[in-house]
Amino acid sequence: MSDIVEQRGNDNRSLMWQGTVAMMPLSIAVVPWGLLAGSYAVESGLLVIEAQALSAILFAGAAQLVAIGMFNTGASLVTMLITTFFITSRHLLYSVAMRETISPLPLRWRLTLGFLLTDELFALIGHRQTSFNRYYALGAGLSFYLIWNLASFVGIIGGSVIPNLDSLGLDFAIVATFIALVVPNVKTKPVLLTVLVALVSSVVLHRLQVNGALMIASLVAMIAGYAAERYGVGVSTESSQDIDKEKRG
C-alpha cells in the first residue's frame, strides 16, 4: 500500500515538473514585464512591501501597470476596482471554457488553480494534447507565479537603485508575450479573421483617440470571429471535414 502511495506521489511530482518545464519559455518571457511592474510601482511612490504585495495578491501584469498609473493620477478606489475588473474580465471567459474540467475538483483545487489562472496558463493547457491534469496545471501555474514575483522583487530593488528602469524598453516584453500566446492559436480562418479585425480596429480606434478603443476593438473582433464561424465563412478544410464526420456519425 505504501509503495502505491509513494509511486503516486512520485508521479504527481513528475507531472508538476513537466508543467514547470512546459511553462518555462513563457515564464522567462514575462521576466522583463515583472521587472517593469516592480520598478514602476516603486517609482510611483509605493513602499517595497506594497509593491511586492501588488504582485503577490493581484498577480495580473496589465492590471498592475494600469492600477499603478491610476495611483499616480489620484484615481479613486472605486474607479481602480472597476477598471481592473474590466481589464481582467477575460478571465471570466477562461473560467467558463475550463468549467467542465475544473468543476469536478475539490474546492481547494478550484480556488488554487483559479488564483493561478493567467493568459499563459490558459494557453498552455489549451495547447496540451493529452487530457487535463491538475498537478501539471499546478506546476505550470505555481512556477509562473513564483518567477513573476521574483522578477517583480528584482524590479523593485532595481527601481530603487537604477532610475528610469522603464526607459530600457522592457515594455516590449508585454507585446512579445501576447504574440507568443496568440500566434499558436491561429489555426482556423475565423480565428485569423478575429486577430486581424482586432489588430486593425485597435490601431484605427487608437489613432482616432476613441475612448475605450481596446474594449471596442475586442468586441468587434469577437463578433467578427463568431459570425465567421457561425455562418461557415472561411472555416478551414479540416474543420469542415470534422463537421461532416460528426453529421455522418
Side-chain angles (χ1 to χ4, degrees):
M1 183 66 181
S2 60
D3 292 341
I4 296 175
V5 173
E6 183 178 354
Q7 181 60 41
R8 186 174 298 171
N10 291 335
D11 292 343
N12 293 338
R13 283 191 288 273
S14 175
L15 285 166
M16 287 184 65
W17 177 246
Q18 290 176 30
T20 300
V21 172
M23 180 63 91
M24 193 53 65
L26 292 173
S27 298
I28 294 174
V30 85
V31 167
W33 194 351
L35 293 172
L36 178 64
S39 65
Y40 189 33
V42 171
E43 290 180 4
S44 298
L46 294 182
L47 301 175
V48 171
I49 190 170
E50 292 174 336
Q52 190 63 57
L54 200 60
S55 290
I57 298 173
L58 185 55
F59 185 38
Q64 283 182 227
L65 294 176
V66 172
I68 294 169
M70 297 182 77
F71 274 129
N72 288 334
T73 60
S76 66
L77 178 61
V78 174
T79 303
M80 285 192 286
L81 289 175
I82 293 175
T83 303
T84 303
F85 172 79
F86 279 108
I87 291 174
T88 58
S89 60
R90 64 188 184 282
H91 289 77
L92 178 63
L93 300 178
Y94 296 163
S95 302
V96 173
M98 298 179 64
R99 184 178 182 279
E100 289 188 4
T101 53
I102 297 294
S103 58
L105 299 178
L107 179 61
R108 66 179 187 280
W109 276 97
R110 297 202 302 270
L111 292 176
T112 302
L113 294 180
F115 176 74
L116 296 175
L117 181 60
T118 58
D119 302 303
E120 290 79 2
L121 181 59
F122 182 77
L124 181 68
I125 293 175
H127 292 160
R128 196 172 185 231
Q129 299 298 322
T130 56
S131 59
F132 174 82
N133 183 280
R134 71 182 79 177
Y135 290 97
Y136 180 89
L138 178 63
L142 185 60
S143 61
F144 187 82
Y145 175 78
L146 293 175
I147 290 177
W148 169 257
N149 274 276
L150 180 61
S152 298
F153 178 73
V154 174
I156 292 169
I157 301 303
S160 304
V161 178
I162 306 173
N164 300 320
L165 193 60
D166 56 334
S167 64
L168 300 179
L170 298 177
D171 52 342
F172 181 73
I174 301 173
V175 180
T177 301
F178 277 98
I179 289 175
L181 293 177
V182 170
V183 170
N185 284 299
V186 183
K187 298 176 180 176
T188 63
K189 291 179 180 177
V191 175
L192 176 61
L193 177 65
T194 304
V195 173
L196 292 177
V197 170
L199 175 64
V200 173
S201 58
S202 60
V203 172
V204 171
L205 292 173
H206 178 71
R207 294 284 295 177
L208 295 175
Q209 299 183 343
V210 176
N211 290 328
L214 190 59
M215 294 296 295
I216 296 173
S218 301
L219 291 173
V220 172
M222 284 190 286
I223 292 172
Y226 173 78
E229 189 169 271
R230 176 70 176 79
Y231 298 105
V233 178
V235 177
S236 67
T237 304
E238 183 179 348
S239 299
S240 299
Q241 291 174 348
D242 292 341
I243 293 173
D244 292 339
K245 288 180 181 178
E246 291 179 0
K247 287 180 178 179
R248 289 196 299 270

